[in-house]
């Protein structure tokens, strides 16, 4: 966004709209159910530390806590009211909630196997992304995953025209190039970029990033060529040479 975001107005907005988060918990919301299925499909098998950024009143944190009872789950949100409700509803010794934003200073030495942004990344202002990316690069474990769900740009454009009341203080368009920048800044690979039909055709995108510190080493480690591979290459070169000769003769015969 071109204008600098007023954080107090953002906090006030989410405090006032916490009732909708409660409603999503009480009544099944297809958007959330689609997101949960992606989490279940792509999350590490046995994560021990989980972070949800923009956890709202904590319903997805609670689901992850129940799914992986041995994991410690942390939810953070900018909304005071949301965190207060989350703490009353779900907090226990392995599920905690904090009123904060994500910066490199938010977690000193903590590292996470799974980090979730459930319809949150699009609400991070462009000028705030570098700090968020730096934090993710710092706290995501090797082999850890970041899972995001975001509305597609054409979804936001449609909402702006047809349902302007649903637009939030920050609603950035998340394109593939934006996700590419996120991956580059966090040292991760995009392993899923898939559009979902929730209420309309391709109105949401689900993204999964995975960190692999040994990716380049594994990919570029030279391996000796076997005798069978050398023989195959020699035969292949001979076939290519003869094929080139016949194709050249064919062209000369046809074209003179």
């Amino acid at each position: 966004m071109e204008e600098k975001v007023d954080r107090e107005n953002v906090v006030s907005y989410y405090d006032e709209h916490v009732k909708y988060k409660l409603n999503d918990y009480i009544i099944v919301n297809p958007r959330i159910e689609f997101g949960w299925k992606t989490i279940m499909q792509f999350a590490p098998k046995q994560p021990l530390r989980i972070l949800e950024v923009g956890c709202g009143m904590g319903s997805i944190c609670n689901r992850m806590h129940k799914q992986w009872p041995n994991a410690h789950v942390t939810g953070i949100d900018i909304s005071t009211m949301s965190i207060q409700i989350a703490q009353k509803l779900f907090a226990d010794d392995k599920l905690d909630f904090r009123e904060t934003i994500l910066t490199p200073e938010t977690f000193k030495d903590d590292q996470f196997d799974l980090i979730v942004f459930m319809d949150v990344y699009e609400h991070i202002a462009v000028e705030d992304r570098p700090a968020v990316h730096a934090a993710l690069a710092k706290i995501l474990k090797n082999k850890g995953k970041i899972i995001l769900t975001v509305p597609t740009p054409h979804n936001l454009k449609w909402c702006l025209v047809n349902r302007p009341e649903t637009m939030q203080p920050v609603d950035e368009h998340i394109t593939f190039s934006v996700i590419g920048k996120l991956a580059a800044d966090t040292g991760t690979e995009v392993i899923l970029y898939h559009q979902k039909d929730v209420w309309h055709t391709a109105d949401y995108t689900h993204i999964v990033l995975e960190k692999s510190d040994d990716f380049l080493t594994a990919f570029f480690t030279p391996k000796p060529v076997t005798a069978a591979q050398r023989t195959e290459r020699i035969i292949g070169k001979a076939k290519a040479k003869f094929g080139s000769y016949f194709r050249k003769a064919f062209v000369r015969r046809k074209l003179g």
Side-chain angles (χ1 to χ4, degrees):
M1 296 183 66
E2 293 182 0
E3 298 181 0
K4 187 173 179 60
V5 177
D6 186 333
R7 185 156 288 144
E8 289 186 4
N9 288 340
V10 173
V11 173
S12 176
Y13 173 88
Y14 288 115
D15 280 349
E16 292 172 3
H17 286 73
V18 71
K19 59 184 178 181
Y20 299 112
K21 300 290 185 181
L22 279 169
N23 191 61
D24 286 343
Y25 172 64
I26 296 169
I27 301 173
V28 174
N29 184 322
R31 170 181 61 80
I32 293 175
E33 297 310 309
F34 272 84
W36 178 246
K37 288 180 181 178
T38 294
I39 292 172
M40 290 297 297
Q41 183 178 357
F42 289 94
K45 289 184 178 180
Q46 294 296 329
L48 295 178
R49 291 298 309 274
I50 301 172
L51 171 66
E52 184 181 8
V53 180
C55 64
M57 43 71 66
S59 61
I60 291 297
C61 282
N62 185 52
R63 284 198 193 189
M64 293 189 291
H65 174 49
K66 290 181 177 179
Q67 180 65 31
W68 298 289
N70 293 324
H72 189 104
V73 181
T74 299
I76 64 173
D77 201 282
I78 196 173
S79 165
T80 303
M81 187 70 69
S82 294
I83 292 299
Q84 288 176 350
I85 292 174
Q87 289 170 337
K88 290 179 180 179
L89 289 176
F90 305 120
D92 66 17
D93 59 340
K94 287 199 171 184
L95 175 53
D96 70 282
F97 300 96
R98 308 179 194 179
E99 180 188 342
T100 186
I101 60 173
L102 183 61
T103 71
E105 291 74 41
T106 305
F107 298 98
K108 291 183 178 180
D109 301 312
D110 294 320
Q111 292 251 294
F112 297 91
D113 305 290
L114 173 62
I115 302 175
V116 173
F117 290 77
M118 182 76 82
D119 281 27
V120 168
Y121 189 76
E122 70 274 16
H123 303 312
I124 298 173
V126 172
E127 63 266 23
D128 292 331
R129 286 180 192 164
V132 172
H133 293 186
L136 292 171
K138 173 186 174 185
I139 66 177
L140 184 64
K141 285 184 180 179
N142 187 33
K143 304 300 183 182
K145 292 181 179 178
I146 304 171
I147 298 179
L148 310 95
T149 66
V150 296
T152 54
H154 75 257
N155 181 3
L156 288 180
K157 291 175 183 177
W158 184 90
C159 288
L160 184 61
V161 173
N162 297 281
R163 297 190 63 194
E165 72 280 3
T166 66
M167 301 301 291
Q168 301 190 23
V170 178
D171 265 317
E172 300 289 353
H173 290 186
I174 307 303
T175 61
F176 187 79
S177 62
V178 170
I179 296 302
K181 175 63 173 171
L182 170 61
D185 288 351
T186 56
T188 57
E189 297 289 325
V190 180
I191 63 172
L192 176 75
Y193 187 91
H194 183 65
Q195 292 186 339
K196 300 281 188 177
D197 304 336
V198 179
W199 288 289
H200 304 284
T201 301
D203 53 353
Y204 277 85
T205 305
H206 290 192
I207 304 120
V208 180
L209 309 176
E210 183 175 30
K211 186 173 185 178
S212 182
D213 291 341
D214 55 4
F215 173 77
L216 292 178
T217 302
F219 188 79
F220 290 110
T221 298
K223 297 180 180 180
V225 176
T226 65
Q229 289 173 323
R230 282 196 293 270
T231 301
E232 185 179 354
R233 290 182 182 180
I234 292 170
I235 294 173
K237 287 181 180 180
K239 287 182 177 179
K241 184 176 181 180
F242 281 113
S244 177
Y245 171 81
F246 286 115
R247 286 192 293 273
K248 185 176 181 180
F250 170 78
V251 170
R252 283 181 176 176
R253 186 172 70 254
K254 290 292 186 178
L255 300 180

